[in-house]
Amino acid sequence: MNYKLINPEYLDSVSGGDPQFIAEIVTMFRDQVTEFFTEMKRLHSKKDFQALGMMAHKAKSSVAIMGMSELANLLKTLELSAKEGKDTELYESYIDRFGEDTKNAVAELNDLVNNRLMKN
């Protein structure tokens, strides 16, 4: 598989190449991003932009560890904008992008764990 969203080399560097550790952080990532996406949607619908900014900050750390620097930068933009309450018309597209990219990243991570790491 050609990984478009995750960075396996970065994962190898932060895990010391330990396949079991990578499998564990992939499981945590899968659970977290689902919760983050649901919560971001809820906060956006409530127009609780301060809390949305804090949630974007948390989500940014999770995607950064997977080497998803482009999405991490987008979440940083959402975090700062939401905390300041500016550019509110863009929040929904940022949240949708987070949901789509993380869904695709989970597929890539599953492939990485199941096909590449478990064969080694």
Side-chain angles (χ1 to χ4, degrees), residues 1-115:
M1 176 178 240
N2 183 18
Y3 302 114
K4 292 179 171 49
L5 294 168
I6 65 167
N7 183 336
E9 292 77 26
Y10 184 74
L11 276 171
D12 285 339
S13 73
V14 297
S15 68
D18 180 351
Q20 187 60 39
F21 181 71
I22 291 174
E24 289 173 19
I25 61 172
V26 165
T27 298
M28 284 187 348
F29 176 80
R30 187 182 308 123
D31 295 341
Q32 285 179 336
V33 296
T34 300
E35 291 173 22
F36 290 153
F37 181 67
T38 301
E39 186 64 6
M40 281 193 260
K41 290 290 239 188
R42 187 185 73 77
L43 293 169
H44 180 258
S45 70
K46 287 178 54 182
K47 299 191 181 333
D48 188 347
F49 299 143
Q50 193 68 29
L52 177 61
M54 291 187 289
M55 185 58 56
H57 176 79
K58 286 182 186 179
K60 180 182 65 181
S61 301
S62 291
V63 300
I65 197 138
M66 296 302 165
M68 300 173 69
S69 56
E70 187 178 318
L71 185 57
N73 289 335
L74 181 120
L75 288 168
K76 178 72 170 178
T77 300
L78 175 57
E79 172 191 357
L80 296 175
S81 294
K83 285 181 177 179
E84 295 173 14
K86 66 178 193 175
D87 300 323
T88 57
E89 71 281 359
L90 300 174
Y91 300 172
E92 187 172 15
S93 67
Y94 292 158
I95 294 165
D96 290 343
R97 167 85 184 274
F98 172 80
E100 188 64 27
D101 280 4
T102 54
K103 180 182 81 166
N104 292 329
V106 165
E108 290 183 8
L109 289 163
N110 288 338
D111 178 80
L112 179 73
V113 169
N114 295 329
N115 297 319

